Amino acid sequence: MTTAADFDKKYNIVDEKPPRHSLLRGRFKRSFAYYTLRERLPVILTQVLDNLSRDKDDIAEQYGEEVREEIKEIVGNISKLKYQLQTDKALEPFTGNEPDKEMWNAFIAGLNADNDTFFRICWLHGECYMYRRLSSYFQSMIKMKDYDYFLKQKENALKCCTDALENVVNSTRDSVLSEEFFIRILKLNLWGNRCDLSISEGKEIKQTGNLFDSVDSLNSNILVDDTKQIWNCISEPIEGNSRIIDFVQDNSGFEMFTDLLVAEYLIDKNLATKIRFHVKAIPWFISDVTPNDFLWTLDYLRNHPTSTVLRSVGEKWYKLLQDGKFEIAPQEWFWTSPYEFYRMKEINEKLYNKLAESHIVIFKGDLNYRKLIGDFTWDFTENFKTCLRGFQPTNVCTLRTVKADLICGLKEGTADNLDKIKPDWMVTGEFGVLQFSSST
Ligand code: F6P
Ligand code: MG
């Protein structure tokens, strides 16, 4: 067995933190990138393998006996991917027929030959590659082409928290148009981002209690609070008679439920006329919402087996979708590309222009934050706008619980203080930011 010391020596891992003003990379042992590549991602791949083996009879029943051959091939491929990750191999071009193949292959071809392996490449790029590669094994099959290997976990993430869902619905039915109410619901949405399944390596994270009533108690965990600016932007009078607000969504389950609560509020209070939801084209970072998850969530809620409260809210949201006030944006492969958002205009100008139609884009979660500011060791006090490197299609805000070792916009001294009292403050999801950058 390779010990940690053997591994580090063999693959030139340095026992340091990533230096300031550089890319986050797994070759720095004192980084979350190293821990993720070494510990978390192999566990996630193993779980996909275990789940396929556990579910193979059910899959065969659903897709027909021939699917067993596909499962065998996929299992072999995933095992190979795990080996490549664990032996720091180079990223390889894609050979299938996926619509984003050219975009990915151009990206891989552009990598510097000295820095093109899992632990040497920028962490963001390597981690996205792993999920994209995993998806390619399924996409190349005939029967299992659209099989979602994270589906059960995602569905369970909603099914397991009926009480918490009912509680937040009950607390938000007599909503009022006010800054205070809006900010509470936005903070609820922020804390919903703690429930992502990739930080827990796929293990269930169950939201309990009434998060809407307890958001105030979490205020001291908010490290950057631009909610006032966000409210000022959102409450500006609508020019003409239409206003789009975009959500670039993150996780299914409780978090997505709170996205819908905010969206409903924006429509009910005439702060927007349409809410556009951007979702992922393929299973992504375990819990991210796909079009199917979005539709399933509304369907599950409106037919909820036990809760009339959830049935009624599900029906209302379904109607908003039917009426075009909620819209699932057309599938965009850019969201599952390795690219940081500052490169969107160059790589996918159509998407950039589409976002520019919107009054404000709300980016949800840790991965979107990493793509907003790049996997880069900015000074923790650096201005959010600077870190966006010109990505400003319209007003931009981000709601993110901190689950990766990068951040910006902190006050002088905040990070030093947290380092003393809570050394792992950057990777637990206990802390959050709500940051805003105005287009004007
Ligand atoms: O694995 C990297 C990471 O960014 C984590 O830091 C985080 O747990 C996860 O991916 C995704 O988080 P989110 O669902 O908030 O984007
Ligand atoms: Mg996610």
Side-chain angles (χ1 to χ4, degrees):
M1 212 186 88
T2 326
T3 65
D6 292 342
F7 177 88
D8 295 352
K9 194 161 171 240
K10 187 161 180 190
Y11 301 110
N12 295 317
I13 304 296
V14 291
D15 192 6
E16 287 168 18
K17 280 187 171 183
R20 288 288 98 192
H21 302 148
S22 72
L23 294 175
L24 296 174
R25 294 197 276 150
R27 65 182 291 262
F28 298 107
K29 193 178 171 111
R30 297 187 199 190
S31 68
F32 198 53
Y34 174 84
Y35 178 69
T36 296
L37 294 164
R38 191 85 177 111
E39 308 287 340
R40 296 172 61 227
L41 298 189
V43 169
I44 289 170
L45 290 177
T46 304
Q47 263 174 20
V48 179
L49 289 171
D50 290 350
N51 293 347
L52 282 172
S53 141
R54 183 197 61 200
D55 297 338
K56 63 180 180 310
D57 293 338
D58 292 344
I59 300 173
E61 206 171 299
Q62 199 187 335
Y63 293 86
E65 279 303 310
E66 319 87 88
V67 85
R68 291 188 192 272
E69 283 310 307
E70 293 194 357
I71 298 179
K72 258 191 224 153
E73 196 177 329
I74 291 169
V75 164
N77 284 331
I78 300 176
S79 308
K80 186 173 139 212
L81 175 62
K82 191 170 147 191
Y83 168 80
Q84 290 176 331
L85 167 65
Q86 292 181 314
T87 50
D88 194 26
K89 295 287 184 286
L91 274 52
E92 291 175 349
F94 290 92
T95 54
N97 294 317
E98 305 91 326
D100 59 342
K101 183 176 84 171
E102 299 308 328
M103 174 172 60
W104 264 98
N105 285 351
F107 178 84
I108 292 168
L111 293 173
N112 173 335
D114 297 333
N115 285 319
D116 64 350
T117 67
F118 279 100
F119 284 77
R120 303 189 76 79
I121 196 178
C122 168
W123 172 34
L124 173 69
H125 304 156
E127 195 172 10
C128 289
Y129 171 86
M130 188 205 83
Y131 284 98
R132 174 63 179 78
R133 177 62 68 187
L134 179 58
S135 162
S136 74
Y137 302 141
F138 291 84
Q139 288 190 65
S140 67
M141 295 295 153
I142 293 168
K143 301 256 173 206
M144 293 186 82
K145 203 171 170 22
D146 299 317
Y147 181 78
D148 184 342
Y149 31 95
F150 296 135
L151 188 73
K152 282 195 178 166
Q153 285 148 290
K154 289 188 276 192
E155 292 187 351
N156 186 50
L158 191 72
K159 288 180 179 167
C160 75
C161 57
T162 302
D163 289 351
L165 301 178
E166 278 189 337
N167 291 342
V168 290
V169 173
N170 289 331
S171 299
T172 49
R173 283 319 81 185
D174 43 10
S175 63
V176 289
L177 175 61
S178 71
E179 176 176 341
E180 194 195 335
F181 199 97
F182 171 75
I183 289 179
R184 280 182 86 81
I185 208 163
L186 202 66
K187 286 181 180 169
L188 167 76
N189 195 202
L190 160 71
W191 295 120
N193 180 244
R194 283 187 307 198
C195 306
D196 102 74
L197 291 169
S198 108
I199 193 82
S200 66
E201 290 150 16
K203 289 188 264 322
E204 173 179 300
I205 302 189
K206 189 171 171 177
Q207 181 64 50
T208 53
N210 187 341
L211 191 55
F212 187 76
D213 291 348
S214 59
V215 278
D216 289 342
S217 66
L218 292 168
N219 279 347
S220 57
N221 288 20
I222 296 181
L223 304 178
V224 185
D225 184 353
D226 290 342
T227 45
K228 200 169 180 57
Q229 285 146 272
I230 300 171
W231 166 252
N232 288 343
C233 169
I234 281 184
S235 60
E236 275 168 21
I238 297 185
E239 282 167 24
N241 48 17
S242 79
R243 170 174 289 169
I244 302 171
I245 292 186
D246 282 36
F247 263 86
V248 181
Q249 288 194 288
D250 185 4
N251 303 308
S252 307
F254 187 79
E255 179 173 357
M256 166 166 169
F257 190 84
T258 63
D259 293 345
L260 293 168
L261 282 171
V262 176
E264 172 197 44
Y265 181 85
L266 295 170
I267 295 287
D268 280 355
K269 304 300 173 211
N270 297 318
L271 295 164
T273 53
K274 184 195 279 279
I275 309 296
R276 243 175 1 202
F277 295 94
H278 299 264
V279 299
K280 307 295 192 300
I282 53 174
W284 198 245
F285 283 65
I286 305 186
S287 40
D288 284 21
V289 183
T290 62
N292 179 49
D293 298 328
F294 193 102
L295 295 172
W296 176 85
T297 300
L298 292 190
D299 229 47
Y300 173 75
L301 292 172
R302 56 198 278 266
N303 297 301
H304 197 278
T306 56
S307 166
T308 47
V309 173
L310 296 181
R311 280 204 284 268
S312 132
V313 83
E315 200 55 50
K316 183 177 174 194
W317 294 344
Y318 180 71
K319 184 144 191 319
L320 286 169
L321 187 69
Q322 283 193 317
D323 294 347
K325 292 185 175 155
F326 285 0
E327 180 184 297
I328 306 175
Q331 182 162 294
E332 281 294 353
W333 292 92
F334 185 82
W335 303 122
T336 48
S337 78
Y339 288 108
E340 295 82 3
F341 295 156
Y342 77 90
R343 299 198 58 192
M344 185 189 290
K345 202 171 182 173
E346 163 207 346
I347 304 293
N348 187 340
E349 197 175 4
K350 199 172 118 249
L351 178 60
Y352 188 90
N353 292 339
K354 197 173 180 74
L355 296 184
E357 295 166 359
S358 176
H359 184 58
I360 180 168
V361 184
I362 303 171
F363 287 93
K364 297 294 315 294
D366 195 66
L367 179 65
N368 277 324
Y369 192 86
R370 290 171 60 194
K371 290 190 162 186
L372 279 168
I373 74 167
D375 261 3
F376 191 77
T377 52
W378 296 99
D379 290 334
F380 295 158
T381 52
E382 189 55 87
N383 195 288
F384 179 46
K385 203 184 213 20
T386 306
C387 299
L388 291 176
R389 299 179 200 245
F391 175 72
Q392 191 81 69
T394 179
N395 299 301
V396 163
C397 93
T398 169
L399 313 184
R400 171 240 187 173
T401 60
V402 185
K403 293 177 280 192
D405 43 0
L406 73 165
I407 199 162
C408 67
L410 296 188
K411 290 208 183 74
E412 202 67 60
T414 301
D416 292 341
N417 188 34
L418 286 165
D419 280 341
K420 278 184 214 130
I421 58 174
K422 189 94 205 165
D424 60 356
W425 65 278
M426 297 196 95
V427 294
T428 60
E430 282 167 80
F431 295 91
V433 296
L434 304 101
Q435 289 173 277
F436 176 73
S437 173
S438 166
S439 61
T440 53

